[in-house]
Amino acid sequence: MDYSLHRYRSACGRLDLVARDYPARDYTRTGPAPVLLLMHGLTRNSADFEPLAAHLSDTYRLIVPDQRGRGLSQWDPEPANYRPDVYAQDMFALLDGLEIERACLVGTSMGGLMAMVMNAVRPGLATGFVFNDIGPVLDPAGLARIQGYVGPSEPMASWTAAAARCRAVNAVAFPDYGKAEWLAFARRTCRENADGTVSLDYDPAIAQSMAGDAPQTVPVDLWPLWDALDAAPVLVVRGELSDLLSRETVREMAQRHSGPYSHVEVPRVGHAPILDEVSALAAILSFCKEYLD
């Protein structure tokens, strides 16, 4: 997969941020290729979407940012800025700088919260929405689990050790993964240091945004943001084993949405699907073909 690194300034003008730009090299139809903005979860980065990009990048232009404090993007010296409304403003700066007026918003976990915030601030931006294991109600069990692992940690001695740590934290979500899958997972979520040790690829200070009973990463009442999506095409992907997005919430999401709505549940996967699973990928490809082509 070929992509270029697009460097841009954060909305506040203080940080250097980076996004991958996959140019849809095989797109042959008249006009520019449809754009998808892929937004990762709390402790992830742009590499999280590599498995999905392998299936979409020939046909669609993919913009895949490292949010501030992750991947190649600069860490914010003010941890209070690690929250969805600030990230959303960074996304507007990214799209405006690339002169992209409309895009399908694909959000995993925190990225889905960002998509809802972006729609509330700039209605009409999105050609559609794909929510990956996220909705207007976040199960306290899932939040507590995330709070339990996010934050400072010691460097790991090797990639094998990094894979073991990823397994220890995420085995509940991917019970069928083997050694190869955990190593690939580690390669997407960690970075190698100059001394050969391996660290998680995010600013540990993002943990501050998840602290307490009412994390600032999560707006207090998300249903108004969901209702504001109105008639837009929506696909919801839920992991069968998810402890963050319940089936009850998914049912209410469907009932409260007046426009095109589809939902897929990924077997034997928790929070959050990688999106290259057979059922998830089929649903996403069908969604893109119907609403973006």
Side-chain angles (χ1 to χ4, degrees), residues 64 140 214 224 238 285 292:
V64 194
R238 178 183 182 272
L285 292 174
L292 303 186

mmCIF file of all heavy atoms in Angstrom, residues 64 140 214 224 238 285 292:
data_model
loop_
_atom_site.group_PDB
_atom_site.id
_atom_site.type_symbol
_atom_site.label_atom_id
_atom_site.label_comp_id
_atom_site.label_asym_id
_atom_site.label_seq_id
_atom_site.Cartn_x
_atom_site.Cartn_y
_atom_site.Cartn_z
ATOM 1 N N VAL A 64 -5.803 9.187 7.054
ATOM 2 C CA VAL A 64 -5.720 8.441 8.316
ATOM 3 C C VAL A 64 -4.755 9.162 9.263
ATOM 4 O O VAL A 64 -3.539 8.979 9.180
ATOM 5 C CB VAL A 64 -5.246 6.991 8.080
ATOM 6 C CG1 VAL A 64 -5.502 6.154 9.321
ATOM 7 C CG2 VAL A 64 -5.934 6.367 6.864
ATOM 8 N N PRO A 140 -20.195 1.110 31.542
ATOM 9 C CA PRO A 140 -19.198 1.375 32.590
ATOM 10 C C PRO A 140 -18.137 0.284 32.716
ATOM 11 O O PRO A 140 -16.983 0.570 33.064
ATOM 12 C CB PRO A 140 -20.049 1.462 33.869
ATOM 13 C CG PRO A 140 -21.410 1.869 33.396
ATOM 14 C CD PRO A 140 -21.570 1.206 32.057
ATOM 15 N N ALA A 214 -16.428 10.434 35.484
ATOM 16 C CA ALA A 214 -16.963 11.120 34.303
ATOM 17 C C ALA A 214 -15.799 11.600 33.441
ATOM 18 O O ALA A 214 -15.442 12.776 33.454
ATOM 19 C CB ALA A 214 -17.848 12.305 34.709
ATOM 20 N N PRO A 224 -28.057 13.500 22.082
ATOM 21 C CA PRO A 224 -28.303 14.627 21.164
ATOM 22 C C PRO A 224 -27.357 14.632 19.962
ATOM 23 O O PRO A 224 -27.751 15.010 18.854
ATOM 24 C CB PRO A 224 -28.091 15.857 22.052
ATOM 25 C CG PRO A 224 -28.418 15.381 23.426
ATOM 26 C CD PRO A 224 -27.899 13.976 23.475
ATOM 27 N N ARG A 238 -20.330 -3.754 15.638
ATOM 28 C CA ARG A 238 -20.185 -4.104 17.057
ATOM 29 C C ARG A 238 -19.471 -5.441 17.193
ATOM 30 O O ARG A 238 -19.760 -6.389 16.451
ATOM 31 C CB ARG A 238 -21.552 -4.193 17.746
ATOM 32 C CG ARG A 238 -21.458 -4.594 19.224
ATOM 33 C CD ARG A 238 -22.812 -4.756 19.901
ATOM 34 N NE ARG A 238 -22.617 -5.089 21.306
ATOM 35 C CZ ARG A 238 -22.486 -6.329 21.780
ATOM 36 N NH1 ARG A 238 -22.581 -7.366 20.947
ATOM 37 N NH2 ARG A 238 -22.278 -6.531 23.070
ATOM 38 N N LEU A 285 -17.519 -2.665 2.833
ATOM 39 C CA LEU A 285 -17.436 -2.588 1.372
ATOM 40 C C LEU A 285 -18.816 -2.340 0.759
ATOM 41 O O LEU A 285 -18.958 -1.549 -0.183
ATOM 42 C CB LEU A 285 -16.824 -3.867 0.817
ATOM 43 C CG LEU A 285 -15.338 -4.105 1.132
ATOM 44 C CD1 LEU A 285 -14.908 -5.477 0.635
ATOM 45 C CD2 LEU A 285 -14.482 -3.014 0.503
ATOM 46 N N LEU A 292 -20.993 5.804 -1.381
ATOM 47 C CA LEU A 292 -19.860 6.618 -1.781
ATOM 48 C C LEU A 292 -19.573 6.556 -3.269
ATOM 49 O O LEU A 292 -19.027 7.510 -3.837
ATOM 50 C CB LEU A 292 -18.598 6.203 -1.008
ATOM 51 C CG LEU A 292 -18.671 6.240 0.521
ATOM 52 C CD1 LEU A 292 -17.300 5.948 1.111
ATOM 53 C CD2 LEU A 292 -19.214 7.552 1.040
#
